[in-house]
Amino acid sequence: KAGVTQTPRYLIKTRGQQVTLSCSPISGHRSVSWYQQTPGQGLQFLFEYFSETQRNKGNFPGRFSGRQFSNSRSEMNVSTLELGDSALYLCASSLGGQGSHEQYFGPGTRLTVT
Amino acid sequence: SQQGEEDPQALSIQEGENATMNCSYKTSINNLQWYRQNSGRGLVHLILIRSNEREKHSGRLRVTLDTSKKSSSLLITASRAADTASYFCATPTNFGNEKLTFGTGTRLTIIP
């Protein structure tokens, strides 16, 4: 099975711009979660989508949004970028359904905001 | 906020030695997971231990879970240079939930 893929792998944006990151989960996985990783805050949960619905949400401002398509692929969008949004954004997929399961992570998208 | 705290924050050992890292968490859980991350890349799932399990093995990995102390440990035996990475414990925020809260991580360096 192919693993989780994320595009693009690297991105440089300017403050005030917006960005869209994409994640393709492992075939058959219905849950997609997004995490932000920074040296200062570590790994922080952004949101999780299951069957095209946001099921869980972390403590991030409304500038961070996401969606999931019928084929389970997911996108996250960050509007009005700030310098502090520079981070590694990780997507993870899992079977979803009832209970919690091991998650399979993509390689991440490294976002740099200048 | 961080649910788990790993200890130590950094660990350097000689190749061939065993490495032990610990994780403490705050709330009741139904499982605890360990992940490895190489140099700012994606995380790799290592092992999931359920709350009714006390010990679990996978190859050179041994994980223990003590729910009374809200702690877990990861033991890597006969370490190799390729084990150099950061190791994180993670717990579901709520029962039956895919939302994971990660610990701060242990940076393990294996010296050849």
Side-chain angles (χ1 to χ4, degrees):
Chain A
K1 267 187 185 176
V4 177
T5 58
Q6 291 187 245
T7 56
R9 293 291 311 279
Y10 302 91
L11 206 49
I12 299 175
K13 289 285 187 179
T14 305
R15 269 183 303 176
Q17 288 186 314
Q18 75 163 18
V19 67
T20 299
L21 311 182
S22 181
C23 171
S24 293
I26 290 172
S27 177
H29 284 190
R30 295 167 63 192
S31 169
V32 173
S33 299
W34 288 88
Y35 293 84
Q36 181 197 64
Q37 186 176 29
T38 59
Q41 299 298 316
L43 279 153
Q44 293 192 290
F45 174 84
L46 280 155
F47 28 65
E48 182 223 352
Y49 287 87
F50 178 77
S51 292
E52 302 179 66
T53 302
Q54 188 180 86
R55 193 162 64 168
N56 289 291
K57 190 176 187 307
N59 296 322
F60 279 81
R63 300 185 297 108
F64 291 82
S65 63
R67 59 178 176 168
Q68 185 180 37
F69 302 95
S70 58
N71 61 358
S72 293
R73 190 177 69 84
S74 176
E75 289 181 348
M76 68 162 281
N77 184 277
V78 188
S79 62
T80 319
L81 284 166
E82 301 177 358
L83 294 178
D85 297 333
S86 293
L88 180 66
Y89 289 88
L90 294 162
C91 158
S93 77
S94 66
L95 289 170
Q98 200 165 13
S100 65
H101 310 81
E102 53 264 38
Q103 300 196 14
Y104 296 84
F105 283 78
T109 294
R110 174 76 62 185
L111 172 65
T112 302
V113 181
T114 62
Chain B
S1 63
Q2 300 288 352
Q3 157 82 308
E5 298 288 335
E6 276 94 339
D7 169 53
Q9 290 189 348
L11 179 63
S12 290
I13 60 173
Q14 294 291 136
E15 194 168 18
E17 293 181 338
N18 296 340
T20 300
M21 50 206 90
N22 304 295
C23 164
S24 60
Y25 57 91
K26 298 174 185 173
T27 61
S28 296
I29 59 171
N30 62 356
N31 73 64
L32 183 142
Q33 303 174 33
W34 284 91
Y35 290 83
R36 183 187 75 227
Q37 184 178 38
N38 292 85
S39 268
R41 300 173 71 177
L43 280 76
V44 174
H45 179 266
L46 295 176
I47 202 162
L48 181 153
I49 186 167
R50 302 195 185 282
S51 58
N52 61 352
E53 298 175 305
R54 291 296 167 258
E55 189 170 306
K56 198 163 183 179
H57 296 252
S58 177
R60 294 184 295 113
L61 305 180
R62 182 176 78 107
V63 167
T64 62
L65 179 63
D66 186 335
T67 53
S68 66
K69 295 181 180 177
K70 291 188 170 57
S71 68
S72 174
S73 68
L74 170 66
L75 167 67
I76 303 174
T77 60
S79 63
R80 305 167 182 169
D83 295 329
T84 294
S86 292
Y87 292 81
F88 296 89
C89 67
T91 53
T93 307
N94 294 301
F95 280 31
N97 197 314
E98 300 286 22
K99 176 181 176 180
L100 293 178
T101 301
F102 283 84
T104 51
T106 292
R107 176 68 191 166
L108 175 65
T109 301
I110 307 300
I111 303 166

